[in-house]
Amino acid sequence: VDVLKRSPGVTIDKDGGIILKGKTGVLVMLDDKPLYMTAEQVGNLLKAIPSDQIKEIEIITSPSAKYDAAGTAGIINIKLKKGAYEGFNGTATISYGQGVYHKTNAGVNVSYKKKKISLGGGYQYNNKINLFNQNSSRVYNDPSSSLSQLHADQHYRSPQETHSITFNSGYDLSDKTSVSLDFIGSYNEYGWDGATHATSYAQDNSVQSSYASTDYGAYIENNYNTNVGIKHKLDTNGTVISGSVNYTRFKGVSNKRFETQNFDSLYQNDGNPFLYIFRDPSHSNQYSVKVDFSGKLFKTIKLEAGGKLIHTDKSNPADITITQNHLASDASNPFNYQEGIYAAYTTLNRKLGEKWKAQIGVRMEHTDIKGVQTSRDTSFTRNYTNLFPSGNLTFNSSNKTSYSLLYSRRITRPTSWQLNPVLAIIDPYSSWGGNPYLLPEYTDNMELSQSLFSGYVVTTINYSYTKQPIAWGLTVDSVTLKSITQPHNLQYKQNMGISVAVNMPITKWWTTSVYAYGYRNRVVGDLGYGSTDKSQLALTLTSTQTFTLSKKTSAEISGNYESPWVYGLNSISARGQFNMAIQRKIWANKATVKLAVTDLFWSDQWTTNSTLGTINAYSSQKWDNRVVMLTFSYRFGNIVNRL
């Protein structure tokens, strides 16, 4: 996650979701395999992977047809290190960090390679305590409303413990055929214990009422992903056929107890507590089969083609009991979800003379979705088929300069939890849930990029148009003033911008990486308060400066800044962070000690403002981001002995 935050054009939102170039809808892949998980599940998985195990991060803003069409903003493919050297090698790492609370990580990764066989694996353990503080307010501008304002403060403490295991293997059956087996699994357990204090004010700004809430619970999840693959070379000219079977299993149990006590204008207990008990032993299974072919056509054209089948089934029993005015009621609302995606694609690549290269492709995806809510009649089905064309044209004007024009069409399907209408209560005035009538959003992406000085400087101009984008909106009951936050489809969204990325050595001891992206987001739509046309110019800056102080000592200074920008129909205030690190190699370069400070000024927080009808809403959220981390890593094995 820390590496992603420093990657060009990448930011992390308040829920751990990834934003790429000011756009949501990013498909995250791990070793070329898509992670079809919620933003929270992806975040938990990525937080368990240490940065020194990452080989590279591919940021693909206009993917070709061979990739899944999911992800309107593009794809981030995280590739982990595999055994690249003969013999047995490994790395052991332990770290301790201190913010407001502690953060501890420990793990080991090993690899073995000899002739036809390669094996690798690792174990990571994380133990930390998270912090979450939020201040929020609503101003009711309707004179007929009984309230004028509502202010609330929330404080949460959340311990978390994660175990993760990775395993990868490969075996060459012959010079032409190889097989592989990969596995990644994690067990995550965290709890939360928090309290909310809120006060409502009448139209004359006198205290009308107040409430105090306690909220605590625990969540346990385990998920694992298993992939079996085979690759066969049909000839010596690069003709290859490959296939894989993938199975992903997720299981989680959530227990929550939320209790509220209301007080009158004189701060006297009204004697009618509100109790919300939630238990959801959810699970999901996903199966996928993929076949790919790559070869020459008429000796001058490279052909890629393939097909893929993905089937997902999920179950959320949602056992809910609500006690109000001393009367208990069963609000359980089980939800079952099934999704099938059937895809086929083909791409053609050809060189056009010495300096030109072109690629065109098209992907067809058919989607079947069925959601069943057993307690209420909001069951639904979705069936649709789409074509996703893509293409790029590259001109190499010299060995150091090239130009590329890219286009791709993408889709972001609503997730099962965005479609699940079961309401989760946050406080006496707020709850959130899904929308079973939500439609997928479609995006057309276009880019023109220029690579200068052998890739040291890259400039890009981009434009995207999204049809029926998904945004979260607030619906308020005019009588009770209780609100429900749900996702809705807007009319369209536009994103246009220009970026400059510089990655180059300044001197022998100083290397710079600077990324600047100026853009404009425009959102048009109606969330029930009339048509809204919202836009804003914004700027994102990311910089990493690396200094080689000696043969064994290096230092790094990094930071990022985001100006105010538009996120759905919300206005997000400026945010940023400043980081520092220094490391030294010891024990004949076998070990490394690193001291790092992240978010030194504790300036990275999420502050939003929005106006919906006659209501102005404000929220400011802060986490335990300012952390001092000491890390020790030790390398062992054959490659170390040869250094």
Side-chain angles (χ1 to χ4, degrees):
V1 173
D2 291 334
V3 174
L4 279 177
K5 288 181 179 179
R6 297 198 297 269
S7 300
V10 178
T11 56
I12 309 297
D13 71 10
K14 64 182 180 64
D15 299 316
I18 299 174
I19 301 169
L20 181 58
K21 284 193 168 184
K23 297 180 290 184
T24 58
V26 179
L27 176 62
V28 180
M29 300 175 66
L30 189 64
D31 286 332
D32 301 317
K33 292 178 281 292
L35 298 176
Y36 292 107
M37 302 177 180
T38 66
E40 184 179 29
Q41 292 167 357
V42 171
N44 289 335
L45 179 61
L46 297 183
K47 289 173 185 176
I49 299 175
S51 59
D52 60 3
Q53 294 305 310
I54 296 176
K55 178 183 178 182
E56 63 183 7
I57 295 179
E58 290 182 331
I59 299 177
I60 311 170
T61 51
S62 291
S64 69
K66 74 175 182 178
Y67 293 99
D68 288 7
T72 51
I75 294 174
I76 293 180
N77 186 20
I78 302 170
K79 293 188 176 182
L80 303 180
K81 294 178 180 178
K82 303 290 180 67
Y85 303 100
E86 290 286 330
F88 178 78
N89 298 284
T91 304
T93 304
I94 185 170
S95 63
Y96 177 84
Q98 186 66 49
V100 177
Y101 300 114
H102 77 271
K103 327 284 180 187
T104 305
N105 304 279
V108 61
N109 288 272
V110 296
S111 65
Y112 174 79
K113 186 175 183 180
K114 188 173 183 181
K115 295 182 179 179
K116 296 183 176 182
I117 189 171
S118 63
L119 299 170
Y123 167 76
Q124 303 295 328
Y125 172 74
N126 293 265
N127 186 299
K128 61 184 177 181
I129 297 178
N130 298 314
L131 170 72
F132 173 79
N133 291 335
Q134 175 173 283
N135 299 313
S136 61
S137 64
R138 295 181 195 165
V139 177
Y140 302 92
N141 298 309
D142 187 351
S144 64
S145 171
S146 61
L147 294 183
S148 63
Q149 298 181 60
L150 174 67
H151 297 285
D153 295 319
Q154 291 180 308
H155 304 278
Y156 279 88
R157 179 182 180 273
S158 177
Q160 182 175 358
E161 184 175 304
T162 303
H163 305 262
S164 64
I165 297 175
T166 59
F167 172 78
N168 59 81
S169 63
Y171 182 74
D172 296 331
L173 298 174
S174 67
D175 294 338
K176 294 184 177 182
T177 307
S178 61
V179 293
S180 63
L181 172 63
D182 298 320
F183 173 85
I184 182 167
S186 66
Y187 172 86
N188 183 44
E189 180 176 347
Y190 66 87
W192 64 89
D193 186 356
T196 301
H197 298 275
T199 303
S200 62
Y201 298 86
Q203 287 292 335
D204 60 1
N205 289 326
S206 63
V207 174
Q208 185 183 71
S209 63
S210 61
Y211 68 84
S213 299
T214 58
D215 181 7
Y216 61 91
Y219 181 69
I220 298 175
E221 71 171 27
N222 58 77
N223 59 72
Y224 54 84
N225 182 291
T226 305
N227 185 273
V228 179
I230 184 169
K231 183 177 181 180
H232 179 69
K233 299 177 182 178
L234 297 175
D235 55 35
T236 58
N237 296 321
T239 306
V240 176
I241 186 170
S242 61
S244 65
V245 178
N246 193 90
Y247 172 64
T248 301
R249 168 73 173 177
F250 167 82
K251 185 176 181 180
V253 178
S254 179
N255 291 282
K256 174 185 175 74
R257 180 185 175 92
F258 177 85
E259 187 169 6
T260 298
Q261 182 59 61
N262 294 294
F263 302 88
D264 59 22
S265 60
L266 299 177
Y267 299 101
Q268 299 296 312
N269 191 325
D270 70 357
N272 294 312
F274 174 88
L275 178 62
Y276 174 84
I277 298 177
F278 175 86
R279 186 176 187 274
D280 186 20
S282 60
H283 70 269
S284 69
N285 295 281
Q286 184 184 88
Y287 313 85
S288 67
V289 179
K290 184 175 72 166
V291 177
D292 297 286
F293 170 85
S294 177
K296 291 290 184 67
L297 186 66
F298 306 123
K299 297 183 180 181
T300 59
I301 300 175
K302 182 181 179 181
L303 169 68
E304 292 180 306
K308 187 174 184 179
L309 163 66
I310 309 173
H311 176 78
T312 305
D313 64 79
K314 299 182 179 182
S315 174
N316 295 90
D319 184 3
I320 303 172
T321 302
I322 296 177
T323 302
Q324 193 167 13
N325 297 328
H326 305 289
L327 296 176
S329 61
D330 185 3
S332 299
N333 210 350
F335 180 71
N336 297 308
Y337 177 85
Q338 291 184 340
E339 179 183 82
I341 301 175
Y342 313 90
Y345 77 91
T346 183
T347 65
L348 299 174
N349 297 266
R350 182 176 180 176
K351 287 186 176 181
L352 305 173
E354 294 294 327
K355 296 185 176 183
W356 291 88
K357 184 170 62 175
Q359 180 193 81
I360 59 172
V362 64
R363 186 180 185 91
M364 183 277 294
E365 291 191 354
H366 176 76
T367 305
D368 286 333
I369 294 176
K370 182 179 181 180
V372 178
Q373 192 178 24
T374 57
S375 297
R376 299 178 184 175
D377 188 19
T378 54
S379 301
F380 59 89
T381 59
R382 300 280 190 276
N383 299 280
Y384 48 89
T385 302
N386 301 112
L387 293 178
F388 300 95
S390 64
N392 68 70
L393 182 65
T394 302
F395 172 65
N396 296 308
S397 62
S398 68
N399 292 333
K400 296 183 178 181
T401 304
S402 64
Y403 302 85
S404 297
L405 179 64
L406 303 96
Y407 166 80
S408 68
R409 180 173 167 82
R410 314 287 297 165
I411 183 175
T412 293
R413 299 176 180 87
T415 62
S416 60
W417 64 273
Q418 287 178 323
L419 294 169
N420 186 353
V422 176
L423 294 180
I425 293 178
I426 303 173
D427 59 50
Y429 286 90
S430 309
S431 60
W432 70 271
N435 176 6
Y437 306 105
L438 206 60
L439 300 174
E441 60 179 54
Y442 300 91
T443 298
D444 291 282
N445 293 307
M446 288 170 282
E447 285 189 5
L448 175 62
S449 64
Q450 179 186 37
S451 177
L452 304 171
F453 310 112
S454 301
Y456 284 133
V457 179
V458 177
T459 62
T460 302
I461 299 174
N462 70 274
Y463 173 80
S464 68
Y465 180 91
T466 302
K467 179 183 177 183
Q468 57 197 37
I470 298 171
W472 288 85
L474 195 69
T475 304
V476 181
D477 188 289
S478 59
V479 178
T480 65
L481 297 180
K482 292 183 178 181
S483 68
I484 300 177
T485 302
Q486 290 178 299
H488 300 272
N489 291 108
L490 300 178
Q491 186 178 350
Y492 67 87
K493 178 174 66 176
Q494 290 176 311
N495 171 275
M496 59 184 71
I498 182 170
S499 65
V500 179
V502 179
N503 296 276
M504 60 188 301
I506 302 299
T507 65
K508 292 182 178 180
W509 51 271
W510 178 12
T511 300
T512 184
S513 174
V514 179
Y515 177 82
Y517 178 54
Y519 65 98
R520 177 177 178 266
N521 276 346
R522 182 188 181 194
V523 181
V524 178
D526 187 354
L527 287 178
Y529 301 94
S531 181
T532 300
D533 188 339
K534 195 175 184 68
S535 65
Q536 186 168 350
L537 291 173
L539 176 66
T540 297
L541 296 173
T542 303
S543 175
T544 300
Q545 309 299 318
T546 305
F547 306 95
T548 303
L549 305 180
S550 68
K551 290 183 178 180
K552 294 187 176 182
T553 307
S554 61
E556 180 182 279
I557 297 176
S558 65
N560 61 68
Y561 168 78
E562 295 176 57
S563 70
W565 61 295
V566 172
Y567 185 58
L569 294 182
N570 294 316
S571 296
I572 311 300
S573 300
R575 60 193 288 243
Q577 62 174 237
F578 180 79
N579 316 302
M580 301 176 65
I582 186 169
Q583 70 174 25
R584 182 173 176 83
K585 295 179 181 179
I586 59 176
W587 298 353
N589 296 334
K590 293 182 181 180
T592 302
V593 178
K594 180 178 180 180
L595 179 65
V597 182
T598 59
D599 200 4
L600 179 63
F601 303 110
W602 208 358
S603 54
D604 189 7
Q605 60 184 0
W606 188 270
T607 302
T608 66
N609 287 279
S610 61
T611 300
L612 297 172
T614 59
I615 300 174
N616 295 328
Y618 165 86
S619 174
S620 179
Q621 300 175 3
K622 202 167 188 177
W623 305 268
D624 196 7
N625 295 330
R626 183 167 57 187
V627 178
V628 179
M629 182 76 71
L630 181 64
T631 302
F632 173 81
S633 61
Y634 179 76
R635 294 187 299 164
F636 53 90
N638 293 353
I639 184 62
V640 174
N641 297 332
R642 294 199 296 268
L643 292 176

